[in-house]
Amino acid sequence: RESPSTAGPELIPDESPVLPECPAALPETLQMIHPMTTDSWKTLIEQIGLLYQEYRDKSTLREIETRRLQDAQTDPEECSASEETSSEAETTNTAESRTLPQISLLRNSTSRFNLWQDLPEIRSSGVLNILQPDEIKLQEAMFELVTSEASYYKSMNLLVSHFMENERLKKILHPSEAHILFSNVLDVMAVSERFLLDLEQRVEENIVISDVCDIVYQHTVNHFSVYVTYVSNQTYQERAYKQLLQDKTAFREVISQLEMDPKCKGLPFSSFLILPFQRITRLKLLVQNILKKVEEKSEKETTALEAHKELETVVKACNEGVRKMSRTEQMISIQKKLEFKIKSVPIISHSRWLLKQGELQQMNGPKTSRTLRTKKLFREIYLFLFNDLLVLCRQIPGDKYQVFDSAPRGLLRVEELEDQGQSLANVFILRLLENTDDREVSYMLKASSQSEMKRWMISLAPNRRTKFVSFTSRLLDCPQVQCVHPYVAQQPDELSLELADVLNILDKTDDGWIFGERLHDQERGWFPSSMGEEILNPKIRSQNLKECFRVHKSDDSQRRKLGSRNRQ
């Protein structure tokens, strides 16, 4: 398949969304600027030498470096001022004779890509002398959304043409295996193609981009549901891929050969399969970036907020689709392992999922025996904590668990024991206000480490106050970290991290774990402290929170409306 710039509009067979006219009028001084020619735009798109995986990594690494630079400044405005001075200097006549600085965003040993302000049409038009520095930053943010979509389309095209349509692979895979492996990838690619065509058309209208969030909104509402279908299949897709690698030597060999092709830039097949989920999540962040740069209470802000709200709905549906598939299987597996010593509790429910499971040590005997220092002081206990229920068990032979008590999660209370000596380190008291016998009971439990104790306490009693306050408290300072190493959650109470994520620190342990709340989606969870760098500048932390409040202000107004309805 050719790129959308060079091929005819090969679209999926339903009507294109009716896009509004240029949503926000450009300043009169800019309306005379000539549109970017189609040939110029085609040349620009063809220059994109990076696959989306590379583009995304370079973009997030640049974001991390920018934040590090800002954090090192005494005042964040100094960094902003230095950027503005640099931009202004580049627009003067004397600067034209110098080699222009090239961003590393879309550059490798064989290809490079410019910023919007580095495009020949922009530099020759004189528009950089008219626009304010903040307006230039907004243009860059919108331009990145467009060019990153082109890079994403290029990678999706490679997934289809190089892998999915490979004749050798087709012969090896049964149609049902191919369907699980590639799902509705053709629909996803067609949606990207349509989206990119509309973005291209907008860029060609005027070299100063009027807006892109109106186009994002229309496509999210009318077409992006294909992402939910694709991502929801992820659990089965991953399992099928692992099984095929294990069971079919021919499949393994062909995939290995295809991955070695220079087109793939050394990237594995699996990195292409996860592109749609990465893109829909990244698209939301790109709209957030635009939203932070548009004028407050403007038409552009309204459009960006609407686009962001719709994208957030799609991303949440994608996350829920993945979780639903894996949760159902997990609940069935747990149900098979449980034997009830007490009255049986039905475990499987559509509204129930596992939050945490694991072994702790339960103290034997009355509380007066705390001072004992014998090996028999504790015995093993195994907990299954669901979002609405706690089940306490003893492990028995045959990988089974005998249930001896349970309680609704809302009727749990925890209390930490302090200064009790080494043998009672990391011990806490768990109170069941109403257990399976309708009475209040307490268990003294010991964890293997401080982090494990805190993780259990926060999971068992989520409303318990943490060391630091959360995003919803609306305070303008809180300890923060930015992610400098990606992390994949290993337990249900952990949080997967992407490069450049910014998180409020809610709690931390001495043995290297942080309980954090990600700013862009308010998701919470534990992660190793080595994955992040603390943001030390209080003004940068405050700026991050203010930007986050702005992005989510439509959510806040909805919460207030809901709250007033509930009170009524």
Side-chain angles (χ1 to χ4, degrees), residues 69-190:
L69 176 64
Q70 291 175 333
D71 196 30
Q73 300 288 339
T74 310
D75 188 326
E77 290 179 9
E78 290 181 23
C79 181
S80 177
S82 66
E83 287 176 9
E84 290 169 16
T85 305
S86 172
S87 297
E88 288 165 6
E90 287 169 16
T91 64
T92 62
N93 292 332
T94 55
E96 289 182 11
S97 61
R98 296 201 308 260
T99 303
L100 296 173
Q102 302 297 337
I103 192 169
S104 62
L105 182 63
L106 280 171
R107 186 177 65 206
N108 60 18
S109 57
T110 58
S111 65
R112 69 176 171 80
F113 196 75
N114 292 334
L115 287 165
W116 173 84
Q117 62 192 297
D118 290 333
L119 298 175
E121 289 86 354
I122 300 300
R123 300 198 63 79
S124 63
S125 69
V127 71
L128 294 176
N129 296 320
I130 301 170
L131 290 176
Q132 294 299 312
D134 285 347
E135 293 173 319
I136 293 173
K137 289 177 185 176
L138 174 59
Q139 289 296 311
E140 297 292 5
M142 293 191 289
F143 189 66
E144 183 181 357
L145 187 146
V146 179
T147 53
S148 63
E149 187 66 29
S151 177
Y152 166 67
Y153 179 83
K154 176 178 179 173
S155 289
M156 290 299 290
N157 190 31
L158 192 58
L159 171 61
V160 171
S161 62
H162 186 62
F163 290 99
M164 181 179 171
E165 294 178 350
N166 180 269
E167 290 301 325
R168 290 175 62 199
L169 206 56
K170 279 183 179 180
K171 290 175 183 176
I172 294 167
L173 293 175
H174 186 274
S176 62
E177 293 171 331
H179 177 69
I180 293 172
L181 200 56
F182 295 103
S183 189
N184 64 326
V185 69
L186 291 176
D187 293 339
V188 174
M189 185 176 163

Side-chain angles (χ1 to χ4, degrees), residues 267-309:
L267 294 163
F269 173 54
S270 56
S271 75
F272 290 89
L273 289 177
I274 62 171
L275 282 173
F277 188 37
Q278 290 180 335
R279 180 55 184 171
I280 198 67
T281 307
R282 185 68 183 167
L283 198 55
K284 187 189 84 165
L285 297 181
L286 291 170
V287 170
Q288 279 188 13
N289 195 33
I290 293 169
L291 183 51
K292 293 170 188 175
K293 292 173 172 58
V294 295
E295 186 181 344
E296 290 201 51
K297 297 181 180 177
S298 65
E299 186 179 344
K300 283 184 179 178
E301 184 190 54
T302 303
T303 308
L305 282 168
E306 288 174 353
H308 180 266
K309 183 181 174 184

Side-chain angles (χ1 to χ4, degrees), residues 516-528:
E517 179 179 51
R518 188 164 44 219
L519 292 190
H520 77 72
D521 60 5
Q522 281 83 65
E523 287 282 330
R524 294 182 177 193
W526 290 90
F527 55 90

Side-chain angles (χ1 to χ4, degrees), residues 434-484:
E434 188 178 299
N435 77 341
T436 191
D437 296 324
D438 298 326
R439 61 188 179 89
E440 182 176 328
V441 294
S442 294
Y443 295 94
M444 190 177 291
L445 304 174
K446 180 180 174 70
S448 59
S449 64
Q450 186 196 39
S451 59
E452 189 64 12
M453 178 189 72
K454 284 200 170 188
R455 286 170 68 165
W456 270 111
M457 291 177 73
I458 286 174
S459 295
L460 288 162
N463 296 324
R464 182 176 175 271
R465 190 172 178 176
T466 52
K467 187 173 183 179
F468 306 105
V469 294
S470 74
F471 165 81
T472 51
S473 69
R474 312 292 292 186
L475 291 181
L476 288 180
D477 196 16
C478 177
Q480 289 176 3
V481 291
Q482 74 162 331
C483 172
V484 293

Side-chain angles (χ1 to χ4, degrees), residues 293-352:
K293 292 173 172 58
V294 295
E295 186 181 344
E296 290 201 51
K297 297 181 180 177
S298 65
E299 186 179 344
K300 283 184 179 178
E301 184 190 54
T302 303
T303 308
L305 282 168
E306 288 174 353
H308 180 266
K309 183 181 174 184
E310 293 301 328
L311 278 169
E312 196 152 51
T313 301
V314 172
V315 171
K316 284 180 179 176
C318 287
N319 285 326
E320 198 52 42
V322 173
R323 288 170 184 158
K324 190 175 180 181
M325 295 291 187
S326 56
R327 282 171 178 171
T328 302
E329 293 188 343
Q330 189 177 45
M331 295 301 288
I332 293 170
S333 174
I334 292 171
Q335 173 80 64
K336 290 176 180 177
K337 293 179 178 180
L338 298 183
E339 293 183 0
F340 286 84
K341 189 177 179 180
I342 55 171
K343 183 181 176 182
S344 180
V345 178
I347 295 297
I348 298 175
S349 165
H350 289 298
S351 59
R352 179 174 293 152

Side-chain angles (χ1 to χ4, degrees), residues 373-389:
R373 297 292 185 268
T374 67
K375 291 182 180 178
K376 295 182 181 179
L377 184 58
F378 294 98
R379 62 181 296 199
E380 289 77 15
I381 183 175
Y382 202 93
L383 274 58
F384 288 96
L385 178 65
F386 304 100
N387 61 310
D388 61 346
L389 177 72

